[in-house]
Amino acid sequence: MFNKETYIQRRLTLAKKLGSGIVLLPGNDESPMNYADNGYHFRQDSTFLYYFGVDFPSIVGVIDVDNQRQIIFGEDYTIDDIVWMGPQPTIADRAAEAGIIETRPSSKLQDFLTDAQKRGRAIHFLSPYRAETKLKLQSWLGLHPDEIAAKASLSLTKAVVSQREIKTAEEIAEIEKGVNLSVDMHVAAMQMVRPGLTEAQVAARVYEVALAADCELSFPIIATINGQTLHNHYHGNVLKSGDLFLLDAGGESKMHYAGDLSSTFPVDKTFTAQQKMVYEMSLKAYDAAVAKLAPGVPFRDVHFAACRSIVLSMQELGLMKGDVEESLIAGAHALFMPCGTGHMMGLDVHDMENLGEVWVGYDGEPKSTQFGLKSLRFAKPLRPGHVFTIEPGIYFIPELMDKWQSEGLFKEFVNWNEVQKFRDFGGIRNEEDYMITETGACRVGKHKPMCVDEVEAIRKGN
């Protein structure tokens, strides 16, 4: 945990932003795989961690804004629990580390909330992403599960986003730990890949690096020879000579701050001429996005800087034609880049995504419905303290090619016969993590091998 003063100040700031009412922040429960005592790895709710810091299941935090009180509700371990899991700090001990002196048993929470409702007090809660949290809110507040999302507090959502989106120096230090671990995971994969291995073997090595550091993954590993599938979690293929291998993987620091990196490299020791050409075009798009980063610049402009570079590269290959800006407006570039250039990152790898992209990435402005652009998670002006990914890619998706060509789309921008020659190429993505400073931007964490010479040196064992 951070120093308790960090959590005290965060809660005070939140209370000032809201002005009145009760903030109800449930922590997560254990999540069973197939029976109650066989659970998935426990992961605490990120907003609960941000304000209370206690990494322990089945506790609830309350901030009583009007009466300037903070309470943690939870149960201490019984002797039966201790026999199986060993001695544990009491709830009071855990709460004290976050600067909270008042704790109560979980059984008292219902009475507390019922009394607040009788007094007509506003109870602020965030839209839940777990079914058991919905059921608890139903029980505590008398809400039908179908209406819980609509009853979630917009003022609390906006207040939390405004705090969590700006990372402090101590948070940056934790994110750097996650990123540095992620670099080690990627280098390990680059070192081991060879024909005859399976994707699963590479994924296992990547996970081993995280576990050996006593850390966890920040999201499920993407390790695939089918890089054209953006979120490919299938690991059953055998690597062959001539394949490109795409790895998208990140580790969490012990305090659950995320790293998120992508790499693409040849299964052979070197890129083929065609692979090298497209790979370097993807790096041009990456460089174009990074060059655009500065305080006040909308991330939407960063995204289009990368997309513009991709259009120019596709025109060099003879795959696209026509006016570059018109093709961007029409969305023709999404044939090769059907996703966003990045997203915020912090305690969640897609930071605060459960709070809604329209608030996290757009400050309430409506999102585009255009294919490709609608997948841009982050578009608003950049501010010092924003941490995010830069991850443009070039993808050749046969099913998308066939669909758009059969529908007669973008004939003025796409040379369909030439595009079809790349239908078996796959996809390339390179990703690093950045933060905005008062004067510009800088990469977070240590350098990940990315240029052709660096990648091939690792592949050759140099």
Side-chain angles (χ1 to χ4, degrees):
M1 293 176 66
F2 294 126
N3 186 285
K4 66 181 180 181
E5 296 301 324
T6 292
Y7 302 102
I8 291 170
Q9 188 57 53
R10 286 173 176 177
R11 294 191 297 269
L12 287 173
T13 299
L14 180 63
K16 289 177 182 177
K17 286 177 179 288
L18 287 174
S20 64
I22 292 171
V23 178
L24 176 63
L25 292 177
N28 282 339
D29 293 332
E30 297 278 11
S31 183
M33 291 184 186
N34 49 3
Y35 59 90
D37 288 337
N38 189 28
Y40 291 101
H41 173 78
F42 174 70
R43 176 55 158 84
Q44 184 60 284
D45 176 75
S46 294
T47 300
F48 185 92
L49 280 176
Y50 185 82
Y51 290 106
F52 294 95
V54 181
D55 197 3
F56 187 74
S58 302
I59 55 180
V60 178
V62 167
I63 302 172
D64 185 339
V65 177
D66 303 299
N67 296 303
Q68 301 179 11
R69 297 167 65 197
Q70 296 97 39
I71 311 168
I72 285 184
F73 292 82
E75 299 295 336
D76 292 326
Y77 271 10
T78 66
I79 189 62
D80 291 327
D81 297 322
I82 291 170
V83 166
W84 287 98
M85 292 175 279
Q88 297 286 330
T90 65
I91 296 299
D93 289 339
R94 295 180 187 277
E97 290 189 90
I100 292 177
I101 60 174
E102 186 174 358
T103 62
R104 297 188 189 181
S106 299
S107 59
K108 299 298 183 181
L109 178 59
Q110 181 69 75
D111 291 341
F112 178 87
L113 295 174
T114 298
D115 179 71
Q117 286 180 313
K118 287 180 179 177
R119 296 172 183 269
R121 302 186 64 194
I123 299 176
H124 301 276
F125 62 88
L126 300 172
S127 183
Y129 54 90
R130 287 194 174 188
E132 63 266 26
T133 308
K134 281 188 177 183
L135 293 175
K136 287 181 178 181
L137 291 170
Q138 177 187 22
S139 175
W140 293 334
L141 304 178
L143 297 173
H144 189 280
D146 290 344
E147 64 178 338
I148 285 175
K151 296 287 188 180
S153 171
L154 180 57
S155 58
L156 176 59
T157 298
K158 293 165 72 173
V160 170
V161 170
S162 70
Q163 277 189 268
R164 283 184 58 188
E165 72 173 328
I166 304 300
K167 305 303 187 289
T168 62
E170 59 188 353
E171 288 184 288
I172 297 297
E174 283 298 314
I175 294 172
E176 285 183 335
K177 293 176 186 177
V179 174
N180 290 342
L181 172 61
S182 304
V183 173
D184 294 341
M185 293 158 64
H186 281 253
V187 170
M190 292 181 193
Q191 292 170 333
M192 78 169 292
V193 160
R194 66 179 185 274
L197 291 181
T198 65
E199 295 163 330
Q201 288 174 299
V202 183
R205 175 68 181 116
V206 170
Y207 193 11
E208 178 191 7
V209 174
L211 287 176
D214 194 24
C215 293
E216 271 292 336
L217 302 174
S218 54
F219 59 95
I221 294 169
I222 298 166
T224 180
I225 58 173
N226 290 311
Q228 75 279 4
T229 303
L230 300 182
H231 279 185
N232 192 340
H233 293 119
Y234 175 76
H235 296 151
N237 292 308
V238 176
L239 280 58
K240 307 180 299 299
S241 177
D243 285 339
L244 282 173
F245 191 87
L246 190 150
L247 176 68
D248 191 339
E252 281 191 342
S253 77
K254 293 181 182 180
M255 289 181 63
H256 302 297
Y257 282 86
D260 183 9
L261 302 174
S262 296
S263 302
T264 309
F265 43 90
V267 171
D268 297 314
K269 298 298 184 183
T270 60
F271 293 95
T272 67
Q274 186 187 61
Q275 288 171 348
K276 179 180 177 181
M277 176 178 60
V278 179
Y279 184 87
E280 290 185 331
M281 289 176 170
S282 75
L283 292 184
K284 284 183 181 178
Y286 171 91
D287 290 339
V290 171
K292 195 72 176 175
L293 297 176
V297 173
F299 195 81
R300 189 178 188 275
D301 293 354
V302 176
H303 170 69
F304 274 105
C307 294
R308 185 174 294 107
S309 176
I310 290 171
V311 171
L312 290 169
S313 291
M314 293 302 99
Q315 288 188 350
E316 288 179 26
L317 280 178
L319 306 190
M320 292 190 74
K321 59 187 177 181
D323 185 85
V324 172
E325 298 307 313
E326 288 181 6
S327 68
L328 289 171
I329 293 170
H333 64 282
L335 179 66
F336 309 103
M337 173 70 168
C339 53
T341 298
H343 52 78
M344 283 215 212
M345 191 181 78
L347 276 168
D348 308 302
V349 68
H350 290 174
D351 209 24
M352 302 176 283
E353 187 144 310
N354 62 300
L355 302 183
E357 288 179 5
V358 70
W359 297 111
V360 177
Y362 287 77
D363 278 343
E365 296 295 323
K367 291 183 63 179
S368 172
T369 59
Q370 184 185 75
F371 181 85
L373 189 55
K374 69 181 180 181
S375 298
L376 179 62
R377 294 183 169 95
F378 182 34
K380 65 189 181 183
L382 294 167
R383 296 173 57 198
H386 278 163
V387 176
F388 47 87
T389 65
I390 294 291
E391 50 178 311
I394 296 176
Y395 309 95
F396 296 92
I397 305 168
E399 296 79 6
L400 183 60
M401 294 177 187
D402 294 343
K403 183 177 187 298
W404 281 12
Q405 185 175 13
S406 68
E407 293 173 353
L409 297 180
F410 303 123
K411 292 178 180 179
E412 68 274 40
F413 301 121
V414 178
N415 292 316
W416 287 109
N417 290 337
E418 295 301 313
V419 166
Q420 289 293 351
K421 296 177 182 179
F422 284 78
R423 66 183 292 113
D424 297 322
F425 183 91
I428 289 175
R429 176 166 71 252
N430 272 295
E431 173 186 17
E432 288 190 299
D433 306 316
Y434 278 79
M435 67 171 289
I436 297 297
T437 66
E438 294 292 337
T439 58
C442 64
R443 187 182 64 239
V444 178
K446 62 186 179 182
H447 173 67
K448 176 181 73 73
M450 257 178 39
C451 75
V452 169
D453 289 345
E454 290 174 326
V455 172
E456 289 187 343
I458 293 175
R459 296 294 300 120
K460 294 173 184 177
N462 296 336

